[in-house]
Amino acid sequence: MEQEGDIAADYIEEFLDICDLDGDIDIDAHNGRAYLSVNASDGDNLRVLSKPETVNALQELTRLAVQNKTGSFSRLILDIGGSRNVRENELAALVSRAAERIEGGAAEASLPPMSSYERKLVHDLVAARGYKSVSQGEGRDRHTVITAI
C-alpha cells in the first residue's frame, strides 16, 4: 500500500508541475486502499482540477500509472481540493431526495450512473437511513436503485 501511495504521489506531483500548479500531497491508507489528498493554501489554485469529472479522470490515469509500475491493479482514491467531501454531500442530497420519493409512495427511486466508489458511498448512506439499495446496469450505465425494506 505504501509503495502504491508513493508511486501515485510522484505521478500527481509531476502532473501538478506540468500544469504549473502548487499543491501539497498527503498519503493515507485504509480499507485496503491508498488515499491521496491534494490541497493548496490558495484554494483557487486547484479549482479547475477539483471538478468531479476531472478528479475521476485523473484518478484513473494515476491508477494506470501505479499499475504500470507495480503490475497490480490499483484501487487508489484521489481527492483534490476537498472534492470528495463535496461529492459525498451531493450524494447525501441525492439519497435524501430519493428517500422523499419513496416516503411519498414511489416503489423505488433510481439514481444516476456513478462510479463504483460513489455507489459504495450511496449504499452506506441508504443503509444508514433504513432503506435497501442495489446496483443495476452495466458499465457506464451502472446505477443504484433504492427501495423501502
Side-chain angles (χ1 to χ4, degrees):
M1 201 63 51
E2 185 177 322
Q3 179 189 19
E4 184 175 331
D6 289 341
I7 293 168
D10 289 345
Y11 180 81
I12 293 296
E13 187 173 348
E14 228 176 285
F15 180 82
L16 292 173
D17 286 345
I18 291 168
C19 296
D20 197 28
L21 295 172
D22 294 322
D24 297 319
I25 301 171
D26 295 318
I27 306 169
D28 196 12
H30 50 87
N31 297 330
R33 291 180 188 243
Y35 285 77
L36 253 70
S37 297
V38 182
N39 294 294
S41 55
D42 175 13
D44 289 343
N45 184 43
L46 297 174
R47 185 182 47 205
V48 71
L49 295 179
S50 66
K51 295 178 181 173
E53 300 83 15
T54 307
V55 173
N56 285 336
L58 189 52
Q59 176 177 279
E60 289 307 312
L61 289 172
T62 306
R63 285 177 173 178
L64 288 172
V66 169
Q67 184 175 340
N68 188 43
K69 292 256 182 172
T70 65
S72 300
F73 177 75
S74 172
R75 296 178 50 215
L76 168 107
I77 299 296
L78 178 64
D79 177 66
I80 299 178
S83 60
R84 292 291 171 192
N85 286 336
V86 169
R87 184 62 178 151
E88 286 176 23
N89 291 337
E90 292 170 352
L91 294 173
L94 280 174
V95 168
S96 291
R97 288 192 298 274
E100 289 171 6
R101 289 194 308 263
I102 292 170
E103 290 165 3
E108 64 182 29
S110 293
L111 299 182
M114 56 187 70
S115 71
S116 61
Y117 178 74
E118 290 174 333
R119 286 193 316 275
K120 162 74 169 93
L121 293 175
V122 166
H123 290 306
D124 292 345
L125 291 166
V126 168
R129 293 188 69 129
Y131 291 96
K132 180 182 171 188
S133 61
V134 295
S135 292
Q136 294 181 347
E138 298 296 326
R140 291 186 165 272
D141 293 328
R142 195 137 174 94
H143 63 281
T144 307
V145 177
I146 302 169
T147 58
I149 293 182

